Amino acid sequence: MLGALTAFYPDIISTVEFNYSGDLLATGDKGGRVVIFQHEQESKNRPHLRGEYNVYSTFQSHEPEFDYLKSLEIEEKINKIRWLPQQNAAHFLLSTNDKTIKLWKISERDKRADGYNLKDEDGRLRDPFRITSLRVPVLMPMDLMVEASPRRIFANAHTYHINSISVNSDHETYLSADDLRINLWHLEITDRSFNIVDIKPANMEELTEVITAAECHPHQCNVFVYSSSKGTIRLCDMRAAALCDRHSKFFEEPEDPSSRSFFSEIISSISDVKFSHSGRYMMTRDYLSVKVWDLNMENRPVETYQVHEYLRSKLCSLYENDCIFDKFECCWNGSDSAIMTGSYNNFFRMFDRNTRRDITLEASRESSKPRATLKPRKVSTGGKRKKDEISVDSLDFNKKILHTAWHPKDNVIAVAATNNLYIFQDKIN
């Protein structure tokens, strides 16, 4: 079904994001670095590959900091990367750690100015009295150089850890969300933002839920959604009020009382929310499932896909090793006909919304050789284990795929497995 490409990076990857064209793929890691891969054009020598992704640029986005007022270390880990639509030859992206968002410009330089009047070739200033003639500087070709420069730094607006950033469809504003607040920024203004959601209670002991993710609507710049640790999603309209504490729509699936347990509230917490490209649907990921919601129907999801239902019997041990708090992301394909999300043992799941077929695949070194085809994997939950099945008791919970991305046009996917980035594509006969 899929052929494979692989790229290796030594630090744990914390976010993966294709740009709008799919030609660039950005990853952020726990060391505060951003690595950008560029899609190379198809080669006549290797027509079976639709072009590989090779390293295009690497730069240090964030450094570790220390908040002396709160005696708090601010780690450099990149929580999210979001691309801006390309307006000219340069590319722009937003990257954030727990506290500070930065706007980066990535540009190419393949020419240099030569023949200055006031400078020697080695860069030293010349004595003006020794200049007897004027020269017109000329542009000379040079080796391609990719530069990353910070254009804006948006800081000091979040008391709690930033978990989401989302660029608005007007391409002028974006929102950032932490555990209790959501702010709206203008890309040109760094010294102030507008607080549009604030769920912090007057008494913190009354706190019952936190914001887990937020995203802008892909077409309506006044609409956004945010999810909570209680498994609910609120849709807000910025035309209704400046402070969107009152939601326009409230999405929640009624809980089945018979299946309630000690872990119910933890596993119902939503770790990711994504609008479909069409803007008609949204997808949410909780610990055990992915749900697709129609924006016109609030009382229940229109589709529910079980990601790893076989773990329901293991929740006690997953609670003890803290895996139950893992935050899995989810993503749509370019036509909204399929969805993808990660699991444990370096497994990731893909669901076809039209046929309702699903498949489990594994991102591993063995399957990432060129032209290798990924074989479907199955997990045995008990009884007699068939050949090629893996027992639920032998799953490795340290190998987890939290971050995935799907090319906006082609069937090319990026999967982050700890400190490895795997890029898979449709098999071409």
Side-chain angles (χ1 to χ4, degrees), residues 183-358:
N183 292 334
L184 181 70
W185 300 83
H186 194 285
L187 284 162
E188 299 291 330
I189 301 168
T190 60
D191 59 352
R192 65 182 181 277
S193 61
F194 295 97
N195 180 226
I196 52 175
V197 173
D198 188 345
I199 65 167
K200 184 183 178 185
N203 181 3
M204 283 295 273
E205 290 180 3
E206 296 169 6
L207 182 68
T208 57
E209 64 180 333
V210 295
I211 297 167
T212 55
E215 188 172 65
C216 296
H217 191 278
H219 308 302
Q220 299 168 22
C221 61
N222 51 286
V223 173
F224 68 94
V225 294
Y226 66 94
S227 58
S228 87
S229 55
K230 276 192 166 179
T232 61
I233 310 104
R234 292 170 175 84
L235 183 142
C236 300
D237 190 336
M238 287 184 274
R239 295 174 300 185
L243 189 63
C244 300
D245 283 351
R246 292 185 181 177
H247 48 265
S248 302
K249 292 188 176 184
F250 183 75
F251 300 84
E252 183 179 29
E253 185 174 26
E255 188 186 24
D256 180 6
S258 63
S259 64
R260 178 149 185 85
S261 71
F262 171 76
F263 305 108
S264 294
E265 196 164 309
I266 302 172
I267 64 172
S268 68
S269 175
I270 293 172
S271 55
D272 196 17
V273 58
K274 292 271 171 64
F275 278 110
S276 63
H277 295 87
S278 67
R280 171 73 188 272
Y281 302 96
M282 67 178 173
M283 167 171 55
T284 59
R285 170 73 207 257
D286 56 41
Y287 190 65
L288 294 178
S289 66
V290 172
K291 293 170 184 171
V292 176
W293 303 77
D294 188 323
L295 294 190
N296 298 322
M297 192 166 83
E298 301 169 51
N299 59 342
R300 62 186 173 84
V302 290
E303 300 161 29
T304 301
Y305 302 97
Q306 300 302 329
V307 178
H308 37 216
E309 184 64 20
Y310 47 79
L311 294 182
R312 194 175 285 276
S313 61
K314 303 281 180 190
L315 292 177
C316 195
S317 56
L318 291 164
Y319 178 76
E320 287 172 3
N321 64 15
D322 280 349
C323 283
I324 201 168
F325 301 107
D326 285 336
K327 292 176 168 51
F328 292 94
E329 295 174 6
C330 51
C331 61
W332 300 87
N333 72 338
S335 62
D336 299 333
S337 62
I339 55 184
M340 173 173 63
T341 191
S343 181
Y344 294 104
N345 208 68
N346 277 1
F347 288 171
F348 58 97
R349 303 268 284 139
M350 301 172 89
F351 304 93
D352 188 311
R353 296 180 62 212
N354 298 323
T355 63
R356 292 305 175 102
R357 290 170 57 196
D358 64 273

Side-chain angles (χ1 to χ4, degrees), residues 63-75 97-100 156-161:
E63 301 279 358
E65 297 175 56
F66 192 79
D67 187 333
Y68 292 96
L69 288 173
K70 295 180 180 173
S71 294
L72 195 69
E73 279 189 53
I74 302 167
E75 63 176 348
N97 66 351
D98 286 340
K99 298 290 181 186
T100 305
N156 306 320
H158 284 278
T159 308
Y160 307 98
H161 292 176

Side-chain angles (χ1 to χ4, degrees), residues 1-7 46 48-53 348 361-375 411-415 421-428:
M1 178 187 164
L2 292 166
L5 304 166
T6 183
R46 293 189 294 169
H48 61 276
L49 292 179
R50 290 183 200 162
E52 297 186 12
Y53 280 82
F348 58 97
L361 299 168
E362 183 181 5
S364 66
R365 290 294 185 83
E366 293 74 39
S367 64
S368 64
K369 291 164 185 159
R371 300 209 75 173
T373 301
L374 290 182
K375 293 189 177 79
N411 272 335
V412 175
I413 57 171
V415 175
L421 177 68
Y422 295 89
I423 300 173
F424 301 104
Q425 67 176 22
D426 256 348
K427 189 176 179 184
I428 304 165

